[in-house]
Amino acid sequence: MTMVTAARAFEPLGPHDRRLARSATGVLGELNRAGLLTAADVHVAGTLARLGHEQDEQVVLAAALATRAVREGSVCVDLSRVAELDADVAWPEPGPWLERVRDSALARRGVLLVDLDLVYLQRYHHQEVQVCADLRARGLQPAPPVDHDLLGEGLDRVFPGEGYAEQRAAAQAAVCSWTTVLTGGPGTGKTTTVAGVLVLLAVQHGSTGRPLRVALAAPTGKAAARLQEAVTEALEGILRADLPAAQRLAPEQRALVEPLREVQASTLHRLLGRRPGSSTRFRHDRSDRLPHDVVVVDESSMMSLTMTARLLEAVRPQARLLLVGDPDQLVSIDAGAVLADLVAGLQESDPAGAPACVARLRTVHRFGHRIGALAQALREGDADEVVTVLRDGGGEVDLLEEDDPTARLRGPLTRRALALREAALSGDETAALAALDQQRLLCAHRDGPHGVRTWNQHVEQWVTETTGDGLWDPMYPGRPLLVTANDYGLALFNGDTGVVVRGEDGGTHAVFAGPDGLRRLAVSRLADVDTMHAMTIHKAQGSQAREVVVLLPDEDSLLLTRELLYTAVTRAQERVVVVGSEAVVRAAVDRQVRRASGLRRRIVTPG
């Protein structure tokens, strides 16, 4: 099995390439011109060397590689694996090289740290150690007080019968632990379990005389909206008046649970409270903890190491923390693969001394058998089974093997865009937003023939050819929008989706679905938005659509990984079409993303 990073393929840089550090000399200059280091990597390492009075070129090279590692998603660099970047480069011998870094001026000044035989920039070493220490401190506390008779009765009411056995066990673990990692693929009932846990905790909390204080959060606005919707729906089911007597809550228990209906989900940034002038520090920290009794974070596979550190320092030690996500999905765009590291480390630890418990849900309830079988084959890395399921998907799963798929995809993509346009022109905001979730075209890249930009242009051209509308106005009715940067003033966050709609006055405005309902904004106020007839698979995390079309890149793309394909196909609720050859599919299954990190080892072996 091939292990890859999320790096680009390495090509020599041209004389006008902005990644070229023209003043770089020596080994850094050579590696920069070869495309292995960018100008940013070289300049950061050079600045650290000047400030730290470092003369050893090998140590400066390690600093540049540590900078590069963070840029590519790792939190450190493993010098023993650097040769995998390019076997033709005469890299230093890893052992002596590591010792030179350990004894260097940069290490003495704390700029570089060597720990677990890995080389870290100071900031990321501090965050990784902090995350592990905070989790361990939470785990060393006495267990939360629980009325086990009341819990047993509640479990039988909320999760009745053998069909809920997995959820019942997971909920019991979450109620009895300060920190729980709830994992499972899409459709395994994670948010149903979360709702049940909240009900059980609200009943347990009744003796305090005040409502349970709950925070629901996710890394993106779209994921927060989905969490809000799913938890609300699950709570409505639990509180239905027509349930059998054995499943109905007692009147006094319903009174304790009713306030949960008012809980509003938010992004993590909004929950922690933005601090002006900083994108990595927040109002809530160790000196001003979050007031909540329970903090639930959905889609936690998208959390970076930095965000995880900020969350853990903001949660009260005596508050339950429930991290929910799928460790098999793509990891955060920023540095770290925290959820995957946590799950792996906690499963290898002695349960009696583990700083958190892991509860895994395996039974799929959402999509059909074929999509579930495809997801399972991808998790297991079984390329033969993946291809078999794709070729025999019975309409639920399809493999489209064509060198130029535009002719086959033009019809369905144009129909979807026209339906969106019709709803937007009529001013039907609800229908327009619903149309966004009917079908989703997902790409690995932003550029190139298989990229988002190309396919956005294709769809707009097809709409023009069908309607005669030249779409000269950039904010045309029916334009699907994807927010690409956080805008705290507008409360819009990276990954939020919306659509341009015609209003009653004939003008246009943008409408977005948020955790607290529809939000309308003047199009003139929007800055960082892209057209979303197509979107990258990374941006699709935390969302779902009835039908998903996955446009795979070429076989030699280093973005082509098992996690990429798994994340893409599990966005589908009813149908998924994978566009690519069998060779491309097999290449994806055979590659896994590997991010250098010491978190897993720190959890398994504390101290």
Side-chain angles (χ1 to χ4, degrees):
M1 179 178 61
T2 306
M3 305 294 284
V4 301
T5 67
R8 294 182 297 272
F10 304 116
E11 297 178 359
L13 303 184
H16 304 294
D17 195 305
R18 65 182 181 180
R19 294 170 292 163
L20 182 66
R22 292 177 177 82
S23 62
T25 60
V27 65
L28 293 188
E30 293 175 9
L31 294 176
N32 173 234
R33 289 187 290 276
L36 287 164
L37 296 175
T38 66
D41 303 330
V42 173
H43 293 324
V44 169
T47 300
L48 293 177
R50 286 193 301 274
L51 295 177
H53 306 290
E54 182 59 68
Q55 302 294 322
D56 191 327
E57 189 177 46
Q58 289 191 13
V59 175
V60 180
L61 173 58
L65 290 171
T67 303
R68 176 193 177 278
V70 170
R71 178 172 53 78
E72 297 291 354
S74 293
V75 298
C76 55
V77 60
D78 184 349
L79 298 183
S80 69
R81 306 188 72 107
V82 165
E84 296 175 7
L85 296 177
D86 191 330
D88 294 330
V89 174
W91 301 101
E93 284 295 319
W97 188 10
L98 188 67
E99 291 309 310
R100 291 176 77 159
V101 176
R102 197 190 306 272
D103 297 334
S104 67
L106 288 182
R108 288 193 297 274
R109 288 173 170 80
V111 177
L112 292 181
L113 290 100
V114 177
D115 192 9
L116 303 176
D117 291 335
L118 303 169
V119 179
Y120 293 81
L121 296 173
Q122 186 273 341
R123 170 184 172 183
Y124 294 95
H125 181 267
H126 175 77
Q127 290 176 357
E128 186 175 279
V129 170
Q130 176 201 319
V131 165
C132 192
D134 284 346
L135 285 171
R136 198 158 297 282
R138 291 176 58 81
L140 290 174
Q141 299 178 117
V146 174
D147 182 331
H148 289 279
D149 291 337
L150 190 61
L151 174 59
E153 177 190 336
L155 287 168
D156 289 339
R157 291 184 183 276
V158 176
F159 300 106
E162 285 304 309
Y164 286 98
E166 288 181 346
Q167 284 89 344
R168 187 162 54 246
Q172 181 172 10
V175 170
C176 296
S177 305
W178 290 118
T179 309
T180 305
V181 181
L182 177 62
T183 74
T188 54
K190 295 189 296 294
T191 48
T192 300
T193 304
V194 167
V197 169
L198 296 180
V199 169
L200 296 170
L201 288 175
V203 173
Q204 290 278 328
H205 200 73
S207 60
T208 66
R210 62 172 176 80
L212 185 73
R213 296 171 297 191
V214 175
L216 300 176
T220 68
K222 184 66 173 178
R226 282 194 56 227
L227 173 63
Q228 174 79 62
E229 179 183 0
V231 169
T232 299
E233 182 180 348
L235 285 173
E236 293 298 330
I238 292 171
L239 293 173
R240 278 171 44 202
D242 60 346
L243 290 173
Q247 297 177 30
R248 286 200 301 268
L249 299 176
E252 63 274 14
Q253 294 178 339
R254 287 182 63 91
L256 295 170
V257 172
E258 285 288 347
L260 295 177
R261 287 174 159 171
E262 306 303 318
V263 177
Q264 296 294 310
S266 71
T267 63
L268 275 170
H269 285 80
R270 190 172 182 180
L271 172 68
L272 296 178
R274 173 176 175 255
R275 183 180 292 180
S278 175
S279 60
T280 60
R281 288 289 180 179
F282 299 91
R283 181 168 64 85
H284 289 291
D285 54 20
R286 294 190 198 282
S287 63
D288 183 11
R289 304 271 193 173
L290 290 166
H292 306 92
D293 303 302
V294 187
V295 176
V296 178
V297 180
D298 196 17
E299 298 291 350
S300 54
S301 64
M302 300 166 66
M303 281 203 307
S304 66
L305 177 65
T306 299
M307 183 56 76
T308 306
R310 299 297 171 255
L311 174 68
L312 286 171
E313 67 186 17
V315 176
R316 292 188 303 112
Q318 286 75 41
R320 286 176 175 83
L321 175 61
L322 183 55
L323 301 177
V324 186
D326 185 350
D328 297 310
Q329 285 188 22
L330 284 168
V331 292
S332 166
I333 294 176
D334 296 321
V338 176
L339 183 67
D341 284 342
L342 282 180
V343 172
L346 292 171
Q347 289 180 336
E348 294 173 14
S349 301
D350 179 358
C357 76
V358 175
R360 181 179 284 275
L361 303 177
R362 302 180 185 278
T363 304
V364 177
H365 304 282
R366 187 178 78 192
F367 38 58
H369 170 70
R370 294 294 185 179
I371 297 178
L374 178 58
Q376 181 62 28
L378 284 166
R379 279 194 295 268
E380 295 173 353
D382 188 339
D384 290 337
E385 181 64 14
V386 168
V387 172
T388 298
V389 174
L390 284 171
R391 291 196 185 284
D392 188 27
E396 184 182 334
V397 173
D398 285 319
L399 178 64
L400 182 58
E401 296 183 89
E402 293 192 14
D403 293 336
D404 182 5
T406 52
R408 290 282 297 275
L409 295 181
R410 174 172 179 161
L413 293 178
T414 304
R415 285 192 293 274
R416 179 258 189 181
L418 292 175
L420 182 61
R421 170 187 165 89
E422 182 180 352
L425 285 171
S426 68
D428 191 335
E429 298 172 337
T430 301
L433 287 172
L436 283 179
D437 295 330
Q438 287 300 301
Q439 186 185 68
R440 196 67 52 83
L441 175 61
L442 304 181
C443 307
H445 294 275
R446 291 185 57 80
D447 300 304
H450 303 294
V452 166
R453 285 195 177 96
T454 297
W455 283 85
N456 274 328
Q457 291 170 0
H458 281 330
V459 175
E460 289 185 330
Q461 178 183 344
W462 296 334
V463 170
T464 292
E465 292 175 357
T466 304
T467 65
D469 184 348
L471 305 180
W472 306 119
D473 183 354
M475 288 295 182
Y476 58 84
R479 181 189 176 190
L481 301 174
L482 175 68
V483 178
T484 58
N486 294 335
D487 187 327
Y488 295 95
L490 297 179
L492 289 179
F493 299 93
N494 193 353
D496 287 357
T497 59
V499 63
V500 178
V501 176
R502 178 176 289 172
E504 293 181 358
D505 60 356
T508 58
H509 62 274
V511 59
F512 294 85
D516 51 355
L518 300 185
R519 300 189 60 240
R520 299 169 185 84
L521 294 169
V523 294
S524 60
R525 301 183 68 188
L526 302 178
D528 297 304
V529 294
D530 281 346
T531 301
M532 200 194 71
H533 291 297
M535 69 188 304
T536 63
I537 297 170
H538 277 86
K539 291 286 189 182
Q541 284 184 273
S543 66
Q544 61 185 23
R546 186 184 64 80
E547 178 179 329
V548 166
V549 179
V550 185
L551 192 61
L552 293 179
D554 292 331
E555 189 175 348
D556 59 358
S557 168
L558 289 181
L559 290 182
L560 183 66
T561 63
R562 185 189 307 174
E563 290 84 356
L564 183 95
L565 183 52
Y566 174 84
T567 301
V569 302
T570 54
R571 299 309 90 206
Q573 296 170 290
E574 298 179 13
R575 185 169 185 263
V576 60
V577 178
V578 175
V579 182
S581 67
E582 178 180 332
V584 168
V585 171
R586 288 185 178 276
V589 178
D590 196 42
R591 291 185 191 148
Q592 280 188 282
V593 172
R594 175 176 50 81
R595 288 189 167 184
S597 162
L599 183 58
R600 175 177 177 174
R601 289 162 64 186
R602 293 184 200 282
I603 292 172
V604 176
T605 309

